[in-house]
Structures are given as C-alpha cells and as structure tokens.
Amino acid sequence: MKAVVMAGGEGTRLRPMTSSMPKPLLPVVNRPIMEHVLRLLKRHGLNETVVTVQFLASLVRNYFGDGEELGMELTYANEEKPLGTAGSVKNAEEALKDDAFLVISGDALTDFDLTDLINFHKEKGALVTVCLTRVPNPLEFGITIVDEEGKVERFLEKPTWGQVFSDTVNTGIYVMEPEVFNYVEADKSVDWSGDVFPQLMKEGKPIYGYVAEGYWEDVGTHESYVKAQADVLEGKVDVDIDGFEISPGVWVAEGAEVHPDAVLKGPLYIGDYAKVEADAEIREHTVVGSNVVVKSGAFLHKAVVHDNVYIGQQSNLRGCVIGKNTDIMRAARIEDGAVIGDECLVGEESIVQGNVRVYPFKTVEAGAFVNTSVIWESRGQAHLFGARGVSGILNVEITPELAVRLAGAYATTLKKGSTVTTARDHSRGARALKRAVISALQASAIDVRDLENVPLPVARQQTARGTAGGIMIRTSPGVPDSVDIMFFDERGADLSQAGQRKLDRVYARQEYRRAFPGEIGDLQFPSSVFDSYTGSLLRKADTAGIAEAGLKVVVDASNGSAGLVLPSLLGRLKVDSLVINPGLDESRPTESAESRRAGLVRLGEIVASARAAFGVRFDPVGERLSLVDERGRIVEDDRALLVMLDLVAAERRSGRVALPVTTTRIAEQVAAYHGTQVDWTTTSPDDLTRVGREESTIFGGDGRGGFIVPEFSSVFDGAAAFVRLLGLVARTQLTLSQIDARIPQAHVLRRDIPTPWAVKGMVMRRVVEAAGGRSVDTTDGVRVVEADGRWVMVLPDPAEAVTHLWAEGPDDVSAQALLDEWAAVVESAGH
C-alpha cells in the first residue's frame, strides 16, 4: 500500500516560524514534524509515499530528496494553486489509482497504529475509513459521529460549542480505495469532509470511522508546537529521539559539548554539535538545536531553540521559540509565548515580552523593551563602529561574509589602485578573517601589503608609510571569543568619525565597487618590517644615557606579538634585559583581568629577585604597557600615567600633555609643577591621537596602559613607551618608587549603570538639570564640578546600553558619596 503525505499547508497561525519555512519542516525535538510522520509510515511498512507540496515546495523537496536516507521511496506532486484536502490528493491520482492508499498530514505529530487502521478498513470493506481520536476541546476540529458498527453517521466541520455533540474528531488520516477519485473534480479546490464525504454518505457508500488509541497533536498553534516538544520529551508519544539519554530524560546528541558545571534538569534535549558552557542552566521541556551555543549563566526553561542560534551570557529564555541563525546577546530576556523568527538579532539587556512576534531578519536594539510585534521595521542601531572598530563575537556577529562586505565597503571609499596595509594578531580567528579581507580588497582593485602577525603599533607605523589606509584584525582585549576589525587612515590612526560614517553608508547601501578582470589588486609581503620599525623608533626616541646607566630590566612579552619586536630592539639598546614569555601562544590571543594580574605578580617577583631597575609587561598586541617598580610592586595603570607624566614633564619643562577628561586632577598639579599644561580630550582614542599629532604635545596617555610618544608617533605604542621610560629613568637616576612617592594619592572611583538606548538622551538632560548652578564641562559627556573641587562625570557608552560614571574626591569616602548621589540621578531617569 502507498501513502500520501500532505505537506502543502502554509501554517499561517504559526508565523513568524513559518514565514521562511514550511510547516512540515518545523523541528520537533530537532527533527522536522514530517520526518516523524515518514518514520511512522515506514514502521508500518508504507515505504512508497507521495508527498503533496505547494508552499515553499522546494525546501521540502531539498530536505527529504527521494527518501533514500530514510530507506523510503518519495515522489512529489506539486500544486500550482491551493486545491483543498481532496484536490491535492486528486493531483497525485496517477501514482495512487491501482490500490488502496493511506492519507496523512505532514504536520501532525502522532504514533497511531496504522497497521490496525488498515486492517480495520479491509475487514469492513470500506470505501473510506476515517481515523478518529478523542480530544478535550473539539472546537478546532471536524466532529464525527459513528454507530456501533463503526459506520459514520454525521460530519461537522469546526463547530461552535452549541453544535458540539461529541469529542470524537477527524484527524485527517484516511484509508481510501481509488474509486473515491470519481467523486473529486480535477483542478478544483475540493475538501474531503466538506464536499466529498457528505456526497458519499448521501449515496450510501461505506464510510467507516476508526477510533485510534495513542497520541495525536495537530501542531497548528504556538501553544501546540511547544506542547508537542514537551510531550515527546515526556515520552507521551512514541517517536525516535536522536542521541543518547545520559541521565533520565536528558538527551544529548552526537558531538554536543556540555560542560560538567552546566545545570541540566530534564526532560530536555541538546542537539548535535551544540555547546553548553559552565553555569548555564537548562530546565525541563527545553530543546536546543544543532550547533547552538549556550554561554555561561544563560537560563532556558520550556524554550525551543532552532539550529545555529547563539545564546549570550546571563540571557533568560522562558517558554519561547527562537528561529534558526538568530543571535540572542548578553542578558537579553525573552518571555513566555514570544517567538523570534529566523536570522534575528536580539541586543544586550533587551526584553521581549510574552506573546510578542519578531519576524525574520529583524534587529531588536540593545536595552530595548519590546511589547508589540516587530513585523516590518527593525528596531536596530545602524552603527557598525564601536570603541574599537567593528567588534563582535567571532562567527556569530563577525563572520567571514561580514568581513568581506566590510572590506569591500572600505575599498569602495578609496581610489582604484590604492594600497592598503593588512595585519593581524596571532589568533586563528584573526588569520581566517584576514584572508577574507584580503580577497575582498583585491577584488575591489586595491593592492595589499600584508604584514601578517605584527604588534598593533607596527601595523599603524607601516600603514603610515605611503599606503592609503590599513585594516588590523585582533582578538578583543579581555574577550577571547570576540574580534575587532580596526580600520586605519593613511596616517595609521583610527578612521575619523567622518570616515566611519562614509564606510557605514557604503556598507548599508551595499554599493561595493568591483574590479574589472584586468584590475585585480596585487598582494605583497614586505620583508624586514621589524627592523625598519625598531630602526625608526631608535632614531627618533631619546636614548641618551641608557648605555652608560647600566640598567637591568625585566620584560614580559605575555606570549603575544610584542615579543616579535623585542629581539631587534633590546639588542640595539645595549641594555641588560631578561625577557620572559616570549613565545606566541595561539590559544591565548588575549588575557583576562585575572591572568594579567597574575602575570604582573610573577613579573614583580622576578624583578625583585633579579634586583632589576623595573619591569614592564606588554599586552598581547604590543599596544599597552604595565609597570612594576624596583621592589617588585605593581604600579597601577592610573599611577603609571602620573609617574610617566612626572618624568616627561620634569625633563621637558614646557609643552602640552594630552589626557582624557576622566583622568585624576592630580595630573594637572604634576604638569603645572614642572611648567607644562594639560590638554583635556574626550575618552575616544582618536581624540588623544589628534592632540598627540600637534607640535607642542610632549606626552599623552589614557590611564589604562596606553602611552603616546609624540616624537615617534601619535598613537598608543608599548615599545615606544618602553624606550622612552628607559631613557627617562637612566637620566633622572631616581627609582620608580621614589617618583611614585612624591606624587599625591588620587581617589577616582568608577561605576557602570545599565541604561536602555531609548532613555540615554533623557538621562543626560536630567544630569544637566541636576547640576543646577554648578560648573559643567561638556568636553565628553557631562562633568559636574563641585565648589570644593570634587567632580563627577557622566558619559553614555557609544556602543552598549550602559552609562559610565567617574567621581573624584579628596578621599575614597567622599568620592563614593558623590558617585552614589549621581548614580541615583542616572537611575531615576532610566525608570
């Protein structure tokens, strides 16, 4: 006997899940509903099956093919227009006209005994046997009444409660003899229970009803879709579950990685090659699809997550459905009954309320509160650029495809035939993305000078040597699974705001320039990059007195690319040095705050035991520098800025110093004491760079290990800062601890407050209002200065749903009081 599977329905009630996927392909415990149906047919010996398709037919065809993988023979009957339940079977008449056949829906989940149904049909000599089942709420279904013999007496399609005379409903599963086709007109929309069966009964034809025992769920609504998953996991329906039951009710498929510290409370299912991190909590009735990443601290309960979804840290998903290829970012909440379509982005700390529908390809911006469905327009931020270029999670937000489009957009902003410098850190992710970038640049008629793995300052310096710009790809500092794609201008500095906007526009319009076949760009690998960098540095930096001072220093390369410059640099400086952690470690392209701290403690121990003058530790890309004094004590980054400032200002006695407005005002005292003045800048590195380029600037720093040595370059450069420090210490003949001791202690405290995007403007207005008559500085954000000199600064983050606060007072207690007072102002505006 053959079977017919009806797979043409649009499933409009299930949108947005069915906006880009036909209903029969919706996964139930990681397998399409229709695959469960086909497996049931095969179990009962119905291996030859005709599938009727109409809506998104090619997706059904492509998924199941000819059925070989399931050990079945599948053929397809395509409907040009909707033909109704009977019309679509009539459309497949050619394949079914020789023998009795079984009709079943491709989007209902069941485990009925089809063999028993077929035997009943044969025993009764029926023309049609309707498979019936009992349900608690029959309103959504056609009701059927049968006599003691099983003969059908009455049909009623979708009744009202006043018409309900039975709880026995039609499941849409039938066994039929081919004669039934005589009652169905070809190419017309015809229904079985509305048109054909009443006619058969009028003529007294044998129509029987078989009341089946077992499970049946017509997956027609979001509630029934989520219920079907729970029923499979509870074992209420007899279907195959792919994977291994590692503990009662906890199913894990092949290749999935579940951290031993993840909390699993079954019944639940984790799909193949999914990754669940430590401290994630997955609770009952949750289904996690293939290749899904669940980050630490995420909580999922009764959530159905389709394939290739990213679920960020601390996010909270309850009773919702998440479509495939969607990214749920850190601390987002998705409430009961919400449905997020395919390929959406739900931003950090946003809330999607219960029963909201977000249609495919939409963005919910960070911090948004969504209580109505998002159907037409995205609620997204248009900006690509954050504080460090274009940043995001590798292969989630930053994919090779995005890198290609970005590089194509960047190339389009430059003249054909220009040269661009490319570089990367020592991570595999950056290496893979850089290859994509180079291809896109060459395909856009741009010549490429590829430096491969170099420190960030070297990439900037080489870009400034006659190329139109540069692209550096590195791991985001402190975030090992994220990358930054950094764009440089012709001076090797970060792209200006105007340059970023231009790139943004080209990218948004997708108007990329492509090279004609004869214009494909060239690719070169310049040699002796490190020698030219160190040669240039030593020519421009003041190294007087270093060789004579007989200094001994300890240098920690922290297994990063900074170590690549050190051999040629230290050799030429003729300084007694001990280099630790020089080798590249591909598995650790960045470091956490904890590992950085531990590294500094170890460095301090080595400096003290070696009786060195001081120790320095580079960050992995050689951009920033941390210090340890001669006693082995860590000089905190904000103190290191003051120590360097004191040394430089004492030697120069005039000029300007570039510092961000968040720096302690003690810097002003130090500078003034030595006859120099402070130029306050915004917190953005490119503003520091701008001031660093000016003639009279003698020094710049950000208080986080970033130092500008203007005589060499206007950007942060760890190696240049190290050479500068060596010269200064050699010439003053004071130790770092002696210099530190003569600078007053600063008391600057900082706090971050989550702020939804929608209220950031209101927060800043409230802050200005609350300042009243006090002195207000708006260099960056709003800095309110009290009469006694204490100050607080409020600054909205450009890329995240956060507001930053800094406060300084004569001691920690007064700074803390000021911080608390203004944090209350910010929080009250946010509610």
Side-chain angles (χ1 to χ4, degrees):
M1 186 183 281
K2 288 185 179 174
V4 184
V5 174
M6 316 278 281
E10 287 195 36
T12 47
R13 289 178 302 166
L14 280 166
R15 287 194 180 147
M17 281 189 282
T18 52
S19 302
S20 47
M21 181 193 291
K23 187 175 160 191
L25 286 188
L26 280 183
V28 170
V29 188
N30 227 28
R31 265 204 188 127
I33 305 177
M34 186 170 138
E35 187 176 330
H36 290 298
V37 171
L38 291 173
R39 286 170 179 270
L40 177 71
L41 293 174
K42 183 171 186 246
R43 219 185 299 159
H44 291 281
L46 297 153
N47 291 335
E48 282 185 70
T49 296
V50 182
V51 182
T52 69
V53 286
Q54 191 227 337
F55 177 68
L56 300 175
S58 59
L59 295 180
V60 178
R61 267 209 187 86
N62 293 346
Y63 187 90
F64 292 106
D66 59 5
E68 187 184 357
E69 279 190 27
L70 290 166
M72 299 177 77
E73 278 179 51
L74 299 186
T75 52
Y76 296 87
N78 203 3
E79 295 171 40
E80 298 305 317
K81 56 180 185 186
L83 295 172
T85 53
S88 59
V89 177
K90 173 79 171 178
N91 194 37
E93 181 179 2
E94 198 51 41
L96 304 166
K97 61 181 191 225
D98 300 332
D99 194 8
F101 56 89
L102 179 135
V103 178
I104 191 167
S105 166
D107 50 24
L109 188 66
T110 182
D111 58 5
F112 286 162
D113 186 342
L114 302 181
T115 306
D116 203 45
L117 167 66
I118 292 164
N119 291 341
F120 176 90
H121 174 81
K122 287 177 179 167
E123 280 164 23
K124 297 291 183 186
L127 174 63
V128 174
T129 300
V130 182
C131 185
L132 308 170
T133 191
R134 294 191 169 87
V135 296
N137 178 1
L139 292 190
E140 286 294 310
F141 310 101
I143 289 180
T144 311
I145 290 254
V146 292
D147 63 15
E148 296 83 60
E149 283 291 293
K151 213 165 187 183
V152 173
E153 292 183 332
R154 237 181 116 185
F155 279 113
L156 188 61
E157 273 292 283
K158 302 200 175 169
T160 64
W161 272 118
Q163 298 170 306
V164 169
F165 44 75
S166 166
D167 64 350
T168 316
V169 301
N170 177 0
T171 63
I173 303 173
Y174 311 113
V175 183
M176 298 178 163
E177 297 297 326
E179 289 155 58
V180 81
F181 288 128
N182 301 334
Y183 295 87
V184 184
E185 259 191 276
D187 289 328
K188 287 270 171 63
S189 180
V190 184
D191 272 321
W192 290 123
S193 45
D195 306 316
V196 180
F197 296 163
Q199 182 62 30
L200 294 176
M201 287 171 70
K202 207 187 282 181
E203 294 185 16
K205 298 290 182 188
I207 302 187
Y208 281 82
Y210 168 85
V211 182
E213 297 296 325
Y215 181 92
W216 178 79
E217 180 72 59
D218 172 56
V219 184
T221 62
H222 289 288
E223 294 70 30
S224 60
Y225 177 67
V226 174
K227 179 178 180 292
Q229 319 277 343
D231 290 343
V232 169
L233 293 171
E234 293 276 5
K236 291 180 181 174
V237 48
D238 181 16
V239 296
D240 300 330
I241 297 182
D242 218 4
F244 313 96
E245 196 171 6
I246 58 169
S247 64
V250 175
W251 293 86
V252 177
E254 183 187 357
E257 275 181 58
V258 180
H259 195 281
D261 293 338
V263 179
L264 304 180
K265 294 186 178 168
L268 59 86
Y269 180 86
I270 294 169
D272 49 335
Y273 303 101
K275 185 177 182 191
V276 180
E277 292 192 351
D279 302 322
E281 183 171 350
I282 301 183
R283 298 191 57 132
E284 54 271 19
H285 303 162
T286 294
V287 176
V288 172
S290 305
N291 300 311
V292 170
V293 176
V294 182
K295 300 295 284 180
S296 64
F299 176 89
L300 288 79
H301 186 203
K302 295 187 177 172
V304 179
V305 180
H306 293 181
D307 297 347
N308 304 314
V309 169
Y310 174 87
I311 298 172
Q313 293 176 325
Q314 261 64 52
S315 50
N316 193 306
L317 279 59
R318 295 167 187 269
C320 55
V321 178
I322 310 293
K324 62 180 187 294
N325 302 321
T326 282
D327 299 332
I328 309 291
M329 305 314 286
R330 181 185 62 78
R333 281 181 73 90
I334 300 175
E335 303 283 4
D336 198 15
V339 180
I340 312 291
D342 296 348
E343 303 199 32
C344 288
L345 171 68
V346 178
E348 292 193 352
E349 298 187 3
S350 54
I351 298 174
V352 178
Q353 285 240 277
N355 302 316
V356 164
R357 308 280 182 258
V358 177
Y359 275 64
F361 313 107
K362 298 289 175 283
T363 298
V364 173
E365 68 173 32
F369 181 83
V370 183
N371 55 8
T372 55
S373 292
V374 182
I375 299 171
W376 300 112
E377 78 298 342
S378 266
R379 303 192 180 179
Q381 290 160 261
H383 297 303
L384 283 167
F385 284 86
R388 301 179 304 266
V390 180
S391 305
I393 299 160
L394 177 66
N395 276 342
V396 173
E397 294 165 292
I398 307 284
T399 59
E401 299 89 327
L402 177 98
V404 165
R405 291 201 299 271
L406 268 176
Y410 181 58
T412 306
T413 66
L414 305 171
K415 289 192 175 77
K416 275 189 177 182
S418 302
T419 302
V420 167
T421 301
T422 57
R424 63 171 174 88
D425 72 3
H426 56 286
S427 68
R428 284 189 185 177
R431 180 190 293 162
L433 289 174
K434 182 172 64 65
R435 288 174 179 162
V437 162
I438 290 171
S439 305
L441 291 171
Q442 289 180 281
S444 302
I446 297 289
D447 294 333
V448 179
R449 288 178 73 231
D450 184 29
L451 307 177
E452 300 182 273
N453 172 23
V454 294
L456 183 51
V458 175
R460 291 184 186 279
Q461 185 242 18
Q462 289 289 317
T463 299
R465 293 193 154 192
T467 63
I471 299 178
M472 167 96 182
I473 303 177
R474 63 154 182 194
T475 307
S476 303
V479 193
D481 53 3
S482 287
V483 287
D484 302 336
I485 302 181
M486 306 175 76
F487 292 89
F488 305 147
D489 62 16
E490 71 283 359
R491 290 181 294 219
D494 290 343
L495 219 49
S496 67
Q497 293 290 330
Q500 291 180 14
R501 279 197 294 273
K502 190 174 176 187
L503 178 51
D504 245 341
R505 273 200 308 277
V506 176
Y507 177 82
R509 291 187 197 141
Q510 303 202 359
E511 294 169 352
Y512 313 130
R513 180 186 68 221
R514 290 282 174 255
F516 298 117
E519 300 177 326
I520 299 293
D522 186 26
L523 174 60
Q524 292 179 332
F525 299 93
S527 59
S528 59
V529 168
F530 299 123
D531 286 344
S532 84
Y533 169 79
T534 50
S536 172
L537 172 55
L538 294 177
R539 274 194 305 278
K540 292 178 180 174
D542 186 354
T543 57
I546 294 178
E548 299 76 31
L551 291 176
K552 185 178 189 180
V553 290
V554 184
V555 182
D556 186 348
S558 62
N559 299 115
S561 52
L564 301 170
V565 176
L566 291 173
S568 62
L569 186 63
L570 294 169
R572 294 193 201 181
L573 278 171
K574 298 186 175 57
V575 61
D576 183 6
S577 58
L578 168 61
V579 178
I580 60 174
N581 302 317
L584 291 173
D585 184 350
E586 223 176 51
S587 67
R588 287 191 304 143
T590 183
E591 50 188 4
S592 63
E594 295 77 29
S595 62
R596 178 173 169 270
R597 194 82 195 165
L600 281 169
V601 169
R602 277 198 303 278
L603 174 64
E605 289 163 357
I606 295 167
V607 167
S609 64
R611 300 218 169 100
F614 61 87
V616 296
R617 185 173 203 270
F618 290 100
D619 74 341
V621 289
E623 185 180 39
R624 295 172 184 276
L625 198 65
S626 298
L627 302 185
V628 167
D629 70 16
E630 77 286 354
R631 302 178 193 171
R633 288 190 309 203
I634 297 167
V635 184
E636 300 298 344
D637 287 344
D638 51 350
R639 286 305 284 177
L641 176 64
L642 297 175
V643 168
M644 283 282 265
L645 169 62
D646 188 71
L647 281 163
V648 173
E651 188 168 275
R652 288 297 185 87
R653 297 280 168 190
S654 69
R656 290 154 69 218
V657 175
L659 300 173
V661 282
T662 50
T663 312
T664 168
R665 290 308 176 265
I666 284 169
E668 221 162 23
Q669 298 171 28
V670 172
Y673 180 77
H674 296 298
T676 60
Q677 70 180 71
V678 175
D679 209 327
W680 296 111
T681 75
T682 69
T683 52
S684 128
D686 52 337
D687 202 24
L688 268 175
T689 298
R690 178 185 58 75
V691 179
R693 275 200 292 270
E694 293 172 8
E695 283 272 312
S696 57
T697 306
I698 56 166
F699 174 68
D702 69 350
R704 299 201 318 276
F707 298 105
I708 294 173
V709 179
E711 59 266 34
F712 176 60
S713 79
S714 61
V715 296
F716 295 147
D717 187 331
F722 168 58
V723 173
R724 181 87 188 259
L725 180 64
L726 264 175
L728 290 164
V729 170
R731 293 190 292 274
T732 54
Q733 301 193 337
L734 288 171
T735 64
L736 292 191
S737 62
Q738 285 169 328
I739 296 160
D740 190 359
R742 71 185 189 191
I743 301 169
Q745 284 301 317
H747 302 277
V748 179
L749 300 178
R750 180 180 165 169
R751 187 179 299 172
D752 293 343
I753 297 175
T755 314
W757 285 97
V759 300
K760 278 189 174 182
M762 185 166 47
V763 164
M764 299 315 285
R765 192 187 75 223
R766 284 279 175 86
V767 168
V768 173
E769 286 168 1
R774 284 170 281 206
S775 165
V776 170
D777 168 12
T778 55
T779 305
D780 197 9
V782 174
R783 193 172 75 92
V784 182
V785 185
E786 302 280 348
D788 59 4
R790 293 183 304 149
W791 59 269
V792 68
M793 182 168 149
V794 182
L795 177 68
D797 190 288
E800 293 178 18
V802 166
T803 302
H804 305 293
L805 274 73
W806 290 262
E808 181 171 30
D811 52 52
D812 278 352
V813 174
S814 65
Q816 185 66 54
L818 200 58
L819 201 57
D820 290 343
E821 178 190 334
W822 287 91
V825 173
V826 171
E827 283 168 340
S828 70
H831 291 306

